[in-house]
Amino acid sequence: MATGNLSRKSGVITGEDVLKLFNYAQEKEFAIPAINVTSSSTVVASLEAARDKKAPIILQMSQGGAAYFAGKGVANDKQQASIAGAVAGAQYIRSIAASYEIPVILHTDHCAKKLLPWLDGMMDADEAYFKEHGEPLFSSHMIDLSEEEVDFNIQTTAKYLKRAAPMKQWLEMEIGITGGEEDGVNNEDVDNNSLYTQPEDILNIHQTLSAISPYFSIAAGFGNVHGVYKPGNVRLHPELLGKHQAHVKEKSGSKKAKPVYLVFHGGSGSTKGEYKEAISHGVVKVNLDTDLQYAYLTGIRDYVLNKKDYIMAQVGNPDGEDKPNKKYFDPRVWVREGEKTMSKRVQEGLVDFNTADQL
């Protein structure tokens, strides 16, 4: 049982509990879906799915998603909307997560070099929260310097891990570019060779970061691409992850069969077989976003199409010219339809990644 050795069984978990959960995931060969949330509505849809499938979940905010949480009308020239939105979203998630009686990892997504002020601002909030509560506001963050030189990537990641270490905060980093486009970062035209991480780089990262803290994971490229593409257009090689694990185990002398906590980015549209093989090689987290955006839309789209004649005016519908339509256009009605279809798709991911029934 995933919560068996956790000090906190439900709500947002941090520090040693995150490490224990990821160790358990590797042992039982499941990965935890990381859901990009942009509102209280998408948070609720995700938490409902995890609760109903008896599974842990990761809720994460991207820089753009965090800004949306603050409101599109807030200036963001210095990342102020993204910082405020991330903190507000984190506080909301912390307030509501325990009600769903599942463990939740509170995470932030890709932070490229140009977005480091966003990460700095969030870690300021983490340190303030830690001073008061003995744990950071966020369970973890992701720093993504995969487009930079390898040495800069590793050394800058190490600098941030040193800042996170006193709080026992997890840090995810990326080496090897994830193709496609997401949240304004476009890697659609990169050289395919850049999509595949080399074992020597994984070893270098592991040795450098292990000397600072055990609380880190690596998103290693094995052909991953953000977005959904036609079958055959994306060539994933999850077997490379097994080679990374073997190389690190041999060179580091680790007693663990899978010494590296790996992350699967660009998961939307991948086959169940690709997920299963990647997870067998120590992947503990799989990002889901594109599929869920579409799933959320479908519930609202279908509602609007089916109820079109009941939402064209506040009064008057096929049942009578004087019939009120409030029960049809109330946002709680049609937004809920999006939550239902998104939640259903999250549940599919929980089954596909073997996360369901782990609690």
Side-chain angles (χ1 to χ4, degrees), residues 216-351:
F216 69 91
S217 51
I218 303 173
F222 55 100
N224 320 54
V225 175
H226 286 133
V228 178
Y229 297 83
K230 291 181 180 180
N233 283 10
V234 177
R235 298 185 63 183
L236 292 177
H237 290 280
E239 71 278 1
L240 294 176
L241 301 179
K243 295 179 179 179
H244 296 334
Q245 296 282 19
H247 186 66
V248 173
K249 177 176 172 57
E250 177 190 354
K251 297 297 183 180
S252 68
S254 174
K255 295 179 180 179
K256 290 188 63 179
K258 305 167 190 174
V260 186
Y261 302 99
L262 293 169
V263 176
F264 188 153
H265 280 227
S268 293
S270 300
T271 67
K272 293 180 182 180
E274 288 167 338
Y275 285 134
K276 185 176 181 179
E277 183 175 359
I279 292 168
S280 75
H281 295 311
V283 164
V284 295
K285 171 179 178 277
V286 180
N287 283 15
L288 279 181
D289 186 24
T290 306
D291 285 357
L292 301 182
Q293 290 178 351
Y294 185 72
Y296 190 92
L297 165 70
T298 59
I300 297 174
R301 177 200 66 194
D302 293 348
Y303 177 84
V304 169
L305 292 175
N306 291 331
K307 301 295 183 182
K308 175 179 177 293
D309 294 333
Y310 293 83
I311 59 174
M312 299 305 290
Q314 291 191 53
V315 178
N317 61 50
D319 298 332
E321 292 183 358
D322 61 345
K323 297 294 183 181
N325 293 322
K326 186 178 188 306
K327 65 180 180 181
Y328 300 106
F329 64 72
D330 185 332
R332 291 172 294 182
V333 176
W334 50 268
V335 169
R336 178 59 181 161
E337 295 304 311
E339 292 172 0
K340 289 177 182 177
T341 46
M342 178 179 169
S343 189
K344 182 179 179 181
R345 181 61 184 86
V346 173
Q347 289 187 35
E348 290 178 16
L350 291 165
V351 172

Side-chain angles (χ1 to χ4, degrees), residues 17 84 101 162 168 172 177 210 250 261 265 268 286 309 324:
D17 280 345
E101 300 181 335
K162 288 176 182 177
K168 293 188 175 181
E172 175 187 333
I177 295 172
S210 291
E250 177 190 354
Y261 302 99
H265 280 227
S268 293
V286 180
D309 294 333

Side-chain angles (χ1 to χ4, degrees), residues 12 37 39-45 47 59 61 69 85-98 100 106 137 339:
V12 173
V37 293
S39 64
S40 61
S41 179
T42 50
V43 168
V44 165
L47 291 173
L59 300 183
M61 287 174 278
F69 235 114
V87 171
Q91 294 282 12
Y92 170 73
I93 291 168
R94 276 189 168 273
S95 297
I96 202 68
Y100 290 82
L106 179 51
L137 177 61
E339 292 172 0

Side-chain angles (χ1 to χ4, degrees), residues 189-226:
D189 299 321
V190 299
D191 181 358
N192 278 350
N193 290 330
S194 299
L195 304 180
Y196 301 98
T197 305
Q198 301 304 308
E200 293 77 15
D201 289 334
I202 299 295
L203 177 63
N204 187 7
I205 294 164
H206 190 267
Q207 289 177 330
T208 301
L209 300 186
S210 291
I212 301 167
S213 166
Y215 303 109
F216 69 91
S217 51
I218 303 173
F222 55 100
N224 320 54
V225 175
H226 286 133

